[in-house]
Amino acid sequence: MTRRRAGRWQTVQVPDSVPVPEAPAAQAAHPRQSEFGFEVGTRLPGPDGSPGLGRTGTITTPHGTIQTPAFIAVGTKATVKAVLPESMAELGAQALLANAYHLYLQPGADILDEAGGLGRFMNWPGPTFTDSGGFQVMSLGSGFKKVIDMKGPDAPHQAGADDAVAPGKERLAHIDDDGVWFKSHLNGDRHRFTPEISMQVQHQIGADIMFAFDELTTLHNSRGYQEEALERTRLWAQRCVDEHFRLTDERAGKPYQALFGVIQGAQYEDLRRKACADLGAMPFDGYGIGGALEKENLGTIVGWCSEVLPEDRPRHLLGISEPDDIFVAIEAGADTFDCVSPTRVARNSAFYTAEGRLNLSGAKYRRDWGPLQDGCDCYTCANYSRAYIRHLYKASEMLSHTLISIHNERFVVRMVDDARRAIEDGTFYEFKAETLGRYYGSPAV
Ligand SMILES: [Zn+2]
């Protein structure tokens, strides 16, 4: 028997045959965890009226609240590329996510600590997130976006079987049960990350929401390796909690930083559910859903996690790409999600419109005096024409990145804000069908 949550773009299937594993006994919380909060608001039923997994909510941090579902803009190196923090606030961004790996290497987490934390360092007064660095250590550190490499070919259990290094690329990350050795993608220096070091680095960086250090696997890894890595991630999660509580006591004068556990398990339902039960019993403030996710399985996998994870804690989907992913994620129960695409595509002169993603490099925009999108309420569209921004881009002027990024970030923020209101109004599925129908219905120009 299969329960279906049908959507026009994706159907989330939840087979009843995989039982929810028995959760271990819940562990004691830290008293300061009450300084972080999450309250569920309106629940989103399934399209057929059956109970659903989506919801609205409010996350409370020492630097303000986040109304969920919320898009979390990415500012990898403590900056949303080419956009002032003031502009991010003006366009409605509620929170920013920076990268612990990058900030650890440059300028160094101690610098951010001395500055008073990430938000103060970059002049962003609102809530902030940092990821654990695990993803970057194991992907960037193993060949700068070209490969994802786990364990060495000399691993005793199955030599070479899980070697995911691309041909011609050097292996830069080595995992053992205690942590990871990796080489900096900046200068090749050798570094060590363990769960404890990741917690120390993230406490120094000082974001409101941090993620536990986990092992990233790929879809190429064997089932046996996925199990082994998942067990390592479980043990590391516990070590992260312990070190996080120790640091919370040690740094008593600082604002409380929430810690989210990260759910791995690749495409395997039983592994995902087990990870959710195991980490769900640990005193995390929330959860990140990470790891190897194929786009077509995104909603299904997030749905498995949402069913098992504690209902009263927020769920963050790590790293999504496109508008249809956002709707799938919301429907499957993700409260927040981060996405680097709005600024990344902007640097290639691509901009979002209600009718799909377009690219300003086309000659037809040379005398196009209209805004990037008619009716858009962003600063760029109120003041600048496609012709002007195209000129900037063609002349390699940096301002084109700024203007397009502001529009793209606003586009996604507004879409998620509208989705949140649609859940409250009971019109989510109509809004989803209309938005995605327009976005993907017409061919990209
Ligand atoms: Zn705009």
Side-chain angles (χ1 to χ4, degrees):
M1 194 179 132
T2 299
R3 186 147 58 85
R4 298 166 76 92
R5 282 188 292 279
R8 187 170 159 192
W9 281 266
Q10 184 171 21
T11 299
V12 180
Q13 294 194 343
V14 183
D16 292 339
S17 55
V18 177
V20 175
E22 199 173 321
Q27 298 174 17
H30 191 286
R32 288 198 65 193
Q33 287 186 282
S34 61
E35 295 169 40
F36 175 85
F38 178 63
E39 202 171 319
V40 175
T42 307
R43 289 178 192 281
L44 173 67
D48 57 0
S50 63
L53 296 168
R55 61 211 185 156
T56 67
T58 305
I59 295 172
T60 305
T61 79
H63 291 94
T65 59
I66 303 168
Q67 301 302 322
T68 66
F71 165 65
I72 312 301
V74 176
T76 304
K77 300 177 185 176
T79 170
V80 178
K81 285 190 192 300
V83 183
L84 283 168
E86 291 89 332
S87 300
M88 293 305 297
E90 189 178 311
L91 64 83
Q94 299 190 69
L96 305 182
L97 180 143
N99 191 289
Y101 165 86
H102 286 281
L103 295 175
Y104 159 80
L105 290 179
Q106 188 182 52
D110 58 317
I111 301 288
L112 280 92
D113 199 15
E114 197 173 318
L118 172 64
R120 193 167 289 178
F121 186 51
M122 66 180 291
N123 191 34
W124 170 258
T128 49
F129 292 57
T130 43
D131 63 13
S132 69
F135 180 86
Q136 284 71 27
V137 162
M138 294 170 218
S139 54
L140 304 193
S142 61
F144 199 55
K145 299 183 184 176
K146 300 300 182 197
V147 298
I148 296 176
D149 159 46
M150 293 301 120
K151 206 157 183 170
D154 49 352
H157 66 304
Q158 42 188 342
D162 284 286
D163 191 357
V165 179
K169 292 289 170 185
E170 185 190 358
R171 175 186 307 279
L172 298 180
H174 292 272
I175 291 182
D176 55 64
D177 286 339
D178 187 52
V180 184
W181 284 110
F182 64 98
K183 282 187 183 173
S184 160
H185 74 281
L186 296 176
N187 59 14
D189 283 356
R190 198 160 179 256
H191 296 270
R192 177 78 172 162
F193 261 23
T194 64
E196 289 77 17
I197 292 172
S198 174
M199 286 297 96
Q200 290 154 17
V201 165
Q202 291 192 79
H203 268 264
Q204 285 192 311
I205 293 173
D208 296 293
I209 295 173
M210 312 177 286
F211 289 94
F213 191 65
D214 60 318
E215 179 177 351
L216 170 73
T217 59
T218 79
L219 295 169
H220 303 295
N221 289 118
S222 65
R223 162 81 192 203
Y225 189 84
Q226 300 286 4
E227 291 176 9
E228 184 187 312
L230 196 68
E231 174 62 5
R232 200 159 25 238
T233 290
R234 184 182 74 80
L235 295 170
W236 289 2
Q238 185 66 61
R239 285 167 57 186
C240 284
V241 167
D242 295 345
E243 181 67 3
H244 166 56
F245 284 0
R246 190 189 72 76
L247 289 164
T248 299
D249 290 335
E250 186 177 289
R251 297 163 61 87
K254 307 275 185 181
Y256 179 70
Q257 295 177 254
L259 179 61
F260 284 23
V262 178
I263 305 301
Q264 292 287 350
Q267 70 274 40
Y268 298 104
E269 180 172 1
D270 59 334
L271 297 187
R272 288 277 177 185
R273 287 179 183 268
K274 179 181 185 312
C276 291
D278 287 343
L279 271 62
M282 296 182 192
F284 285 111
D285 298 288
Y287 294 90
I289 301 168
L293 291 171
E294 287 177 308
K295 186 180 177 71
E296 56 268 31
N297 294 331
L298 189 75
T300 305
I301 291 173
V302 174
W304 297 335
C305 298
S306 296
E307 288 198 336
V308 182
L309 286 170
E311 176 69 14
D312 60 351
R313 287 177 247 174
R315 306 183 279 251
H316 180 89
L317 180 57
L318 287 148
I320 58 171
S321 53
E322 291 301 322
D324 58 336
D325 295 340
I326 289 174
F327 283 91
V328 168
I330 291 173
E331 200 177 329
D335 300 302
T336 54
F337 25 82
D338 64 279
C339 180
V340 75
S341 294
T343 53
R344 179 175 287 166
V345 303
R347 296 195 293 282
N348 296 317
S349 79
F351 61 103
Y352 298 125
T353 78
E355 281 75 37
R357 200 168 94 184
L358 306 178
N359 197 302
L360 269 186
S361 59
K364 65 179 188 171
Y365 298 118
R366 203 160 161 242
R367 289 189 167 80
D368 189 332
W369 306 107
L372 291 179
Q373 184 192 327
D374 283 328
C376 177
D377 58 359
C378 86
Y379 182 81
T380 297
C381 289
N383 295 289
Y384 299 93
S385 66
R386 288 176 169 183
Y388 176 64
I389 301 168
R390 179 180 187 277
H391 152 67
L392 294 176
Y393 177 72
K394 288 292 183 184
S396 300
E397 287 292 339
M398 291 180 284
L399 188 57
S400 73
H401 300 174
T402 301
L403 294 176
I404 302 173
S405 293
I406 287 173
H407 167 78
N408 285 354
E409 293 281 3
R410 174 62 192 153
F411 181 89
V412 179
V413 163
R414 186 174 55 225
M415 192 170 77
V416 177
D417 286 350
D418 289 345
R420 184 170 62 247
R421 274 190 287 273
I423 294 174
E424 288 165 354
D425 297 346
T427 56
F428 176 81
Y429 294 102
E430 292 88 334
F431 175 68
K432 174 187 173 186
E434 184 198 326
T435 303
L436 294 181
R438 273 183 82 185
Y439 193 84
Y440 293 102
S442 54
V445 180

